[in-house]
Amino acid sequence: MTAHGSAPEGVHDEVRTRILDAAERLFYERGIQAVGMDELRTAAGVSLKRLYGTFPAKHDLVEAYLRRRDARWRADLAAYVDAAAGGAAVAPADRLLAVFDWLGGWFAAQDFRGCAFINAYGELGATSEGVARVTRDHKQALRAYLADLARPLGHPDPATLAAQLALLIDGAITAAAISGEPASAHTAHTARTAAAALIDATTTTPNI
């Protein structure tokens, strides 16, 4: 039972999802500062009162949008890498390189606009500790995931290799966003080639 005048839990969740869906589409496509709360209300199909009842301030909505995007982005990436491994024996290096294959597919998407976190940080990172924190958390989680993929290689310092690959990933995402199609496909391939060379160089024991 709900309190008098309050919406049932399922309705609240549905409204929250509609607002976040609208925010993700508009913020990612046009930028956070370019989109006002009234436009978001219209896009989500909710009243302004319901919007502010769900997210009391715009920064609350921005952080929730980024948190949800982080979870989805990393889940999609991990699912792709797991599927690439399949049931056959796949070399650890190939699992890492599958990350760059996934990037290539993302870059080719019609709605690709670069890294939502770099974009948000560029807009608000200097003034919003929440945006800066969410961005750092996202990048740290990606490095941790890459380090997990790197450990089976027997690399002496998987965290360092992960940090190097993360720099390649951020650079590729930014370059692809700027270059646009069809150059973005070449960007993904170039980053993959560089990653393969880096993995090979850092996991091969030199002859003495």
Side-chain angles (χ1 to χ4, degrees):
M1 181 177 293
T2 61
H4 178 69
S6 64
E9 189 68 26
V11 172
H12 176 77
D13 290 344
E14 189 266 341
V15 167
R16 179 182 174 86
T17 296
R18 281 163 52 193
I19 294 171
L20 284 171
D21 286 345
E24 181 160 11
R25 177 172 56 83
L26 293 172
F27 287 161
Y28 184 61
E29 180 181 300
R30 292 171 43 202
I32 294 167
Q33 297 182 91
V35 179
M37 293 294 271
D38 192 58
E39 183 178 2
L40 275 166
R41 172 195 67 77
T42 300
V46 301
S47 67
L48 205 57
K49 180 179 180 180
R50 179 62 62 84
L51 174 59
Y52 280 109
T54 307
F55 297 99
K58 187 176 181 180
H59 68 81
D60 297 316
L61 176 56
V62 171
E63 291 179 38
Y65 143 66
L66 290 172
R67 290 288 182 194
R68 189 178 73 156
R69 187 171 180 91
D70 164 65
R72 288 180 167 185
W73 192 92
R74 290 190 294 109
D76 286 349
L77 171 59
Y80 181 92
V81 172
D82 289 344
V90 174
D94 290 333
R95 289 176 63 83
L96 276 169
L97 294 177
V99 171
F100 293 86
D101 295 332
W102 180 82
L103 289 177
W106 179 37
F107 295 170
Q110 188 173 6
D111 64 349
F112 173 70
R113 298 291 186 275
C115 175
F117 303 90
I118 293 175
N119 296 347
Y121 188 87
E123 283 195 81
L124 300 170
T127 58
S128 171
E129 176 54 34
V131 167
R133 181 173 58 252
V134 174
T135 300
R136 293 186 188 109
D137 288 347
H138 170 74
K139 298 302 181 182
Q140 182 178 352
L142 174 60
R143 289 194 299 271
Y145 174 66
L146 294 171
D148 286 343
L149 293 179
R151 285 190 181 90
L153 291 168
H155 188 278
D157 189 354
T160 294
L161 177 58
Q164 293 166 340
L165 293 173
L167 285 176
L168 272 178
I169 290 169
D170 279 341
I173 294 171
T174 303
I178 293 171
S179 63
E181 281 285 358
S184 61
H186 179 69
T187 299
H189 177 73
T190 299
R192 189 187 195 280
T193 300
L198 178 62
I199 292 168
D200 184 64
T202 56
T203 56
T204 301
T205 302
N207 294 324
I208 300 176

